[in-house]
Amino acid sequence: INSSPIGLALVISNVNFENPKRYRGGELGGDEDYRNFTQLLSELDFELYDYNGKPTQDLTQREMEEVIREFAKDKKHENYSCCLVCVMTHGCREYNGYATRLAGTDSEPGDGVSLNWIIEQFSESDLYRLSCKPKLFFIQACRSDTSASKRTVERTSHRKKPRLDQNDIYIVFSTIPGKFSYRDIRGSYLIRTTCEVIREKRDHEDLHSMMT
């Protein structure tokens, strides 16, 4: 890490959903997580990415895809040492599998942006600006099964499977496949604890040591 800023960071935080009855509790602690994590990134000398001058909060599913696609291709990556993506939203596990889907504000339960698709945007061979550079992902979302997950997979089963090049990619999940992820008015355990630990130990431990 020898650049300043050290990297470009995209933080997506979805709190206000079009159908709050289906996505209950999304607002609880969401703003606190966003404030805490973006403040940490500023302390670590990351540049926070905005999309056409707008904050990347409360994005629809299509907006999430557009922002992630444009972020991955941003020319600034060429001059920085790493990049970071954090997504805080509702999520679920695809039916009969381990892939995680991350909800936009208009996503139906069981639907959302595939995490595999997100990672694929950063592992294409033509993204030379990010070649051999750490690509960090923090995912604060449930990964549980839903009754709608089977319908989602049946709708999308014709799609080509993603080609994932895992080199230089580090992923932090708030929970394991099949389980829920919780947060309260203080924010989520993952974001709150990550911020506390990194602030305390960043001068003498590497990221993997701090996260395990």
Side-chain angles (χ1 to χ4, degrees):
I1 305 295
N2 53 17
S3 66
S4 182
I6 64 173
L8 199 58
L10 169 63
V11 181
I12 295 175
S13 176
N14 292 337
V15 173
N16 300 298
F17 291 81
E18 292 184 6
N19 194 331
K21 290 184 179 180
R22 292 185 177 181
Y23 289 111
R24 289 175 293 182
E27 71 285 353
L28 190 65
D31 290 337
E32 181 65 18
D33 272 348
Y34 183 82
R35 182 202 62 77
N36 199 10
F37 199 71
T38 54
Q39 177 60 41
L40 175 68
L41 294 177
S42 177
E43 295 169 13
L44 296 175
D45 197 29
F46 275 93
E47 178 183 337
L48 193 62
Y49 180 82
D50 61 52
Y51 187 56
N52 294 331
K54 300 177 181 178
T56 50
Q57 295 174 272
D58 290 334
L59 303 181
T60 65
Q61 185 168 323
R62 176 174 290 184
E63 287 172 337
M64 287 176 66
E65 293 172 348
E66 290 176 353
V67 168
I68 290 165
R69 193 180 292 113
E70 291 302 313
F71 174 79
K73 296 187 296 184
D74 196 289
K75 294 180 180 179
K76 288 184 178 180
H77 291 305
E78 186 171 358
N79 299 317
Y80 295 164
S81 299
C82 66
C83 80
L84 183 148
V85 175
C86 177
V87 182
M88 300 179 283
T89 187
H90 285 287
C92 68
R93 181 175 68 168
E94 288 188 352
Y95 178 78
N96 197 27
Y98 287 92
T100 300
R101 288 190 169 272
L102 303 170
T105 56
D106 63 342
S107 296
E108 292 294 321
D111 203 357
V113 180
S114 167
L115 178 59
N116 281 354
W117 177 87
I118 294 175
I119 296 172
E120 186 182 25
Q121 307 311 302
F122 297 84
S123 55
E124 296 284 356
S125 59
D126 60 349
L127 287 181
Y128 66 91
R129 297 185 183 92
L130 288 170
S131 177
C132 299
K133 296 180 181 180
K135 293 167 277 289
L136 313 175
F137 296 84
F138 290 79
I139 307 299
Q140 167 55 44
C142 291
R143 304 176 72 196
S144 58
D145 298 312
T146 72
S147 58
S149 297
K150 183 175 182 179
R151 295 196 299 272
T152 299
V153 169
E154 289 172 346
R155 261 198 330 268
T156 60
S157 59
H158 65 282
R159 294 180 183 174
K160 179 180 160 184
K161 290 186 177 180
R163 175 170 54 84
L164 299 181
D165 174 8
Q166 298 283 345
N167 292 337
D168 308 309
I169 288 178
Y170 190 86
I171 308 174
V172 178
F173 290 105
S174 60
T175 189
I176 61 175
K179 300 298 182 180
F180 292 102
S181 181
Y182 297 97
R183 64 184 177 193
D184 56 28
I185 58 174
R186 300 174 299 165
S188 64
Y189 181 80
L190 171 67
I191 300 300
R192 186 171 69 248
T193 305
T194 294
C195 292
E196 291 173 355
V197 170
I198 290 179
R199 286 186 173 114
E200 177 185 351
K201 300 184 177 182
R202 66 189 186 193
D203 291 333
H204 52 273
E205 290 191 23
D206 59 44
L207 178 62
H208 184 66
S209 297
M210 289 187 286
M211 299 306 300
T212 56

